């Protein structure tokens, strides 16, 4: 695992966007695995800037998202489909046919999960899988539990995740309690994995993910076993590792 420490969130976004842009230039039909959340917003902005100012071409790129809330249609303002359109996909020249996000309104969750896995497998999984991490260590919506779950599945969100994400909803009651998420097989089958985090709220999760035991209680820790994982974090997110002496 390669650990890149930068001084702040903006540098994290610049570094991450450069990695993605290099791949897009070298392999114009690459498969990108993409997350939502606050963490990748700066990366997406920077990639949009590169599209506008530097002709970064997404026309043959295929992008799949890692998760979607169950019960929200793609037109709901808090759905992850809407998030991706608003913050990234609507602003680049990617073909809508090449963007994939689980259907949160499916009438058959098992079938939706199975078909999403089959599609990912048919792509050969991601050339680059970008991930954020939750304060509880979840990656995508693989929540802490007794085992790592391999396949795309329906996750029941933990209280910690509901607490962290309900800030985007008018009230906590409106936040869905379940989501469809890719599983560890798709994550670990990616050719390159890039996990990003900034700020002290992620410090404990980053310390355990990078330096703790590999355990499903801290789902991010599985990336220690990935053959080509890069973690890009700012100093605040590394502050619980002891790498900066006395935790400041
Ligand atoms: P955040 O979420 O980027 O909004 O902090 C990350 C995650 O929960 O995976």
């Amino acid at each position: 695992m390669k650990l890149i420490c930068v001084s702040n969130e903006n540098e994290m976004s610049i570094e991450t966007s450069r990695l993605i842009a290099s791949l897009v230039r070298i392999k114009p039909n690459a498969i990108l695995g993409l997350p939502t959340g606050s963490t990748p917003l700066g990366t997406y902005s920077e990639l949009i800037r590169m599209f506008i100012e530097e002709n970064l071409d997404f026309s043959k790129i295929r992008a799949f998202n890692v998760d979607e809330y169950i019960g929200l249609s793609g037109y709901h303002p808090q759905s992850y489909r809407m998030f991706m359109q608003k913050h990234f996909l609507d602003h680049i020249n990617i073909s809508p046919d090449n963007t994939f996000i689980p259907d949160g309104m499916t009438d058959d969750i098992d079938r939706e999960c199975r078909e999403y896995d089959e599609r990912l497998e048919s792509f050969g999984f991601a050339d680059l899988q970008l991930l954020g991490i939750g304060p509880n260590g979840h990656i995508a919506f693989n929540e802490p539990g007794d085992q790592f779950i391999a396949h795309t599945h329906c996750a029941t969100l933990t209280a910690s995740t509901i607490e962290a994400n309900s800030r985007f909803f008018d009230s906590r009651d409106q936040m869905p309690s379940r989501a469809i998420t890719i599983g560890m097989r798709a994550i670990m089958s990616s050719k390159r994995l890039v996990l990003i985090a900034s700020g002290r709220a992620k410090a404990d999760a980053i310390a355990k993910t990078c330096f703790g035991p590999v355990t499903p209680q801290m789902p991010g820790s599985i990336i220690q076993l990935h053959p080509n994982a890069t973690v890009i974090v700012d100093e605040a997110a590394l502050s619980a590792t002891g790498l900066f002496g006395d935790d400041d």
Side-chain angles (χ1 to χ4, degrees):
M1 190 183 76
K2 188 170 165 189
L3 183 59
I4 299 176
C5 179
V6 293
S7 48
N8 57 46
E9 183 177 9
N10 186 47
E11 284 186 21
M12 176 198 76
S13 302
I14 300 282
E15 189 73 31
T16 308
S17 60
R18 281 188 189 146
L19 285 182
I20 296 173
S22 306
L23 173 66
V24 170
R25 289 202 168 95
I26 290 165
K27 188 173 180 185
N29 64 345
I31 314 290
L32 300 180
L34 299 175
T36 52
S38 320
T39 314
L41 282 175
T43 300
Y44 294 150
S45 297
E46 182 60 11
L47 288 169
I48 292 167
R49 188 198 63 73
M50 290 183 192
F51 163 68
I52 295 169
E53 295 178 9
E54 299 171 10
N55 297 319
L56 188 62
D57 180 13
F58 293 89
S59 60
K60 297 192 182 66
I61 291 293
R62 282 161 291 168
F64 71 84
N65 263 77
V66 298
D67 46 23
E68 178 60 282
Y69 289 121
I70 290 175
L72 299 191
S73 88
Y75 297 101
H76 189 287
Q78 298 308 334
S79 72
Y80 284 168
R81 165 59 78 177
M82 191 62 100
F83 178 102
M84 290 307 295
Q85 296 302 139
K86 184 172 160 196
H87 295 292
F88 189 39
L89 302 175
D90 281 347
H91 308 285
I92 57 172
N93 66 335
I94 195 165
S95 161
D97 292 343
N98 285 344
T99 69
F100 304 93
I101 301 182
D103 176 9
M105 292 298 277
T106 179
D107 57 8
D108 187 338
I109 294 171
D110 288 345
R111 189 191 61 215
E112 179 67 15
C113 291
R114 197 172 55 247
E115 290 180 357
Y116 206 67
D117 261 344
E118 285 166 4
R119 179 172 284 136
L120 297 185
E121 180 147 20
S122 74
F123 289 163
F125 299 103
D127 290 295
L128 188 151
Q129 175 66 61
L130 181 64
L131 291 174
I133 188 164
N136 68 353
H138 74 209
I139 48 177
F141 271 137
N142 290 272
E143 294 281 39
D146 295 335
Q147 56 183 359
F148 292 118
I149 302 178
H151 292 282
T152 297
H153 58 279
C154 167
T156 301
L157 305 180
T158 61
S160 154
T161 297
I162 292 172
E163 171 74 33
N165 289 17
S166 59
R167 69 187 192 276
F168 298 110
F169 292 81
D170 290 339
S171 75
R172 182 187 275 236
D173 295 347
Q174 288 178 14
M175 170 149 172
S177 57
R178 295 186 305 158
I180 293 175
T181 179
I182 64 166
M184 295 305 193
R185 179 164 174 261
I187 289 171
M188 295 301 282
S189 300
S190 59
K191 295 176 187 69
R192 179 166 199 182
L193 190 154
V194 178
L195 187 143
I196 57 177
S198 70
R200 276 180 180 261
K202 303 293 173 67
D204 185 55
I206 286 296
K208 290 176 176 156
T209 283
C210 298
F211 302 109
V214 176
T215 163
Q217 300 294 340
M218 181 51 55
S221 63
I222 199 170
I223 73 164
Q224 293 177 34
L225 305 179
H226 191 286
N228 189 9
T230 302
V231 176
I232 306 176
V233 283
D234 68 0
E235 289 175 10
L238 264 194
S239 59
T241 59
L243 290 175
F244 289 104
D246 28 312
D247 190 19
D248 54 11

